[in-house]
Amino acid sequence: MSRTDGAEAGKLKIGDHWNVISIIALSQNNPLKAVAEFVENSIDASARNVAIIRGKQKNEYYLRITDDGCGIQDFRYVATHIGDSIKRKLKVQGSGDIQGEFGIGLLSFWTIGETLTLTSAGKDGVARTMQLVKGNPSYAIRETGMMFAKPGTELLIHPLLPGIRSISAEKIQNFLASELRDRIARSGVHIAIIDHTTRRELVVEPRKFRGRLIHQLPEARCPFGEIYVELYLAESPQEAAVGLYKHGTRVIADISRLERFARSPWDSRCIEGIIDASFLQLTPGTRDGIVQDEVYDSFCVALEPVEEALGALLEEQKRALEEEASRQLLNRVTRAFREAFLYLPEEDYSWLAARVREPRRAPSAGTSSQSSAGEASANGEGSDYRESSSRTEEQNPATHASESSSDSQGDSENAALGEYIPEPNPKQSKTVQKSFFEFAGPLHKLMISPSSSVIGTSERRKLKAIARDRAGRLIDSGIDFAWHLSEGGGALDGINSPYAEYIAPEEPCVATIELCANQGDITLTATAIITVTAELIKRAAGMGSAQRRGLPGYTYKKAPGELWRSRYDTENAIILINNAHADFIHASRQPMTKLRYIARLFAKELVLANFPEASREEILERLVELTLYTEENLK
């Protein structure tokens, strides 16, 4: 060290030793961390069994920790060498897996209770006790007078501080399971927590991460030592964190608390696990901090490849989750529209109409064995709901796939939605027998399709009865139906079958059709309303069966600053949704609000495509009609 003229130099000295000891003793601000320090002392002493006992004696709470380790050989050395632990010398000599090095662990009892009493047998086999009192610089060592000293060490703290009494056995168990995870696993020590106040006994098991282990991470190489990385994709993102460990003991519960790691992916709450670096220098007082020297800087650099790989993995995981969520959302929207179409006339929405197949309906008394080609399908019952496919277009990384509708895939999807597929021809294949769960149960729900329609004067409207069990399966036999016109003009044809036809009068009116279904002791009723009018919304020419399509898919297109919410791409049969629009951002805050918002965009685009030459008033009327019946079925 160079000196300048007139400068005075020397060595630092402690002015008040007791004041320094008090500062060290009170620097541990976490009582659970102090308990972990005591358990670590037992593990360092090669203990195989450790017991942590909570209890109450003479109206005073106490905490006792016992082990069967090698014990304390020299009480006087422990009391007079604060800050100079013998474990540091043992580490230099390479003596096993030892964690302690500062010689200040016992002083942390100040954050737990008033008095610390240590009992252990020395090399001569004589059991002795040492007592320390909070706020008192003195110590006392006495022989216990026991004829046969027990192996190991007993630590007793009493009475406990008022704020410590609320620390339950479960809290101690959970903290030690994470704090000493690898030390417990490597040493095989058995740690039991006995709570006399609640009469419970718990065992501390090393914490097990329940997420999916991340494989093939790049190796973290550091010139100062080895870095062990064990990370998982978390199942519970809200509680996930990556802990920083040293020699198997947790130093920091969440590495993102460090400024260098206060960013993604460390603070994403999607990654959990441990990073163990034995060469890091801990802050001696609390032992829950890192000295940010050149060693720490090298450690941060070594983790950069791991951070980059985790970022790419989370981005891929995010895209996969978004695509899966979008598929589920599209399925929910599609099912809601399919249910809505049961309430609406098929010819009014021929752009979305189905290719009709022969229904799988067995003839029975009171039922018909044939269905008309003009009848609407009940969520696909009696028909293959959609014939054509919806294609997706790659707009951005958040592309959402629509449902596949090839002939082979369409049948499987329709079956999954409860749709009826026609029976195979017995001449071409063997008869397929239903399994037990494919048979419909008792009558639970009844409806008329369409339940609301508008027709012109003197026109006809075909109606269909749809009966389902509690699980939504179609009931195709064993039900007696009865139709009647309860209100309005006109007439009904076929009043004792699953199908009926309403004949409108020559004058406008509103007709109410009622349907009664009986199955044994079960009776249900349903109604349909038909508006007979002299004015109808004219459909555009060329919107016939040749242009009928299935429900489109959707994808996001980020268009900030543009006012459009959605657009329909007719060439690819897909709806583009502007996910940068303020309404979309607002709706995305709540899952159900987002679902309703996308369903309304679907309704808007479907109405515009289905009624291209309608007036503004007519389009709005149709929009209200479609959204009414769709949102009722959103789940």
Side-chain angles (χ1 to χ4, degrees), residues 470-484:
R470 186 178 293 274
R473 293 183 291 259
L474 183 70
I475 304 175
D476 53 6
S477 62
I479 300 178
D480 296 326
F481 297 100
W483 301 79
H484 71 279

Side-chain angles (χ1 to χ4, degrees), residues 346 350-351 353-355 387 539 542-549:
E346 180 183 352
S350 59
W351 186 81
R355 176 165 59 96
E387 179 180 7
R539 297 187 49 80
M543 293 297 293
S545 59
Q547 295 188 8
R548 294 178 181 182
R549 305 177 181 179

Side-chain angles (χ1 to χ4, degrees), residues 2 24 41-42 56 58 78 103 146 159 167 180 200 260 331 343 407 425 442 468 484 486 502 530 564 605 619 622:
S2 62
I24 294 174
N41 288 338
S42 298
K56 186 177 182 181
K58 296 181 180 180
V78 172
M146 296 174 59
I167 297 180
L180 306 178
R200 297 187 63 187
R260 293 282 290 272
N331 288 337
Y343 292 88
D407 289 339
N425 191 334
R468 293 175 176 169
H484 71 279
S486 64
Y502 172 74
I530 300 177
W564 61 274
E605 299 299 338
I619 288 177
R622 291 295 185 177

Side-chain angles (χ1 to χ4, degrees), residues 301-323:
V301 173
L303 285 180
E304 287 179 357
V306 177
E307 179 179 312
E308 183 178 350
L310 289 175
L313 178 63
L314 289 184
E315 187 63 30
E316 180 182 351
Q317 181 82 359
K318 180 181 178 181
R319 287 197 299 266
L321 292 175
E322 287 179 349
E323 290 175 2

Side-chain angles (χ1 to χ4, degrees), residues 33 55 104 112 133 224 344 455 507 513 534 631:
K33 188 81 172 180
I104 59 176
I112 297 178
V133 179
F224 294 96
L344 302 172
I455 63 175
E507 297 294 332
I513 313 297
E631 293 188 1

Side-chain angles (χ1 to χ4, degrees), residues 43-103:
I43 297 175
D44 289 340
S46 304
R48 304 299 300 169
N49 297 279
V50 178
I52 303 173
I53 304 168
R54 295 178 72 253
K56 186 177 182 181
Q57 187 176 16
K58 296 181 180 180
N59 293 325
E60 291 184 346
Y61 290 89
Y62 66 85
L63 181 71
R64 178 182 287 114
I65 300 177
T66 63
D67 65 57
D68 56 359
C70 60
I72 299 175
Q73 305 301 320
D74 190 345
F75 277 118
R76 186 176 181 277
Y77 184 91
V78 172
T80 58
H81 285 73
I82 294 173
D84 183 22
S85 175
I86 193 173
K87 296 180 185 178
R88 184 183 304 173
K89 301 176 182 178
L90 295 176
K91 280 186 177 183
V92 174
Q93 299 171 4
S95 300
D97 182 18
I98 297 177
Q99 178 70 349
E101 59 182 326
F102 300 117

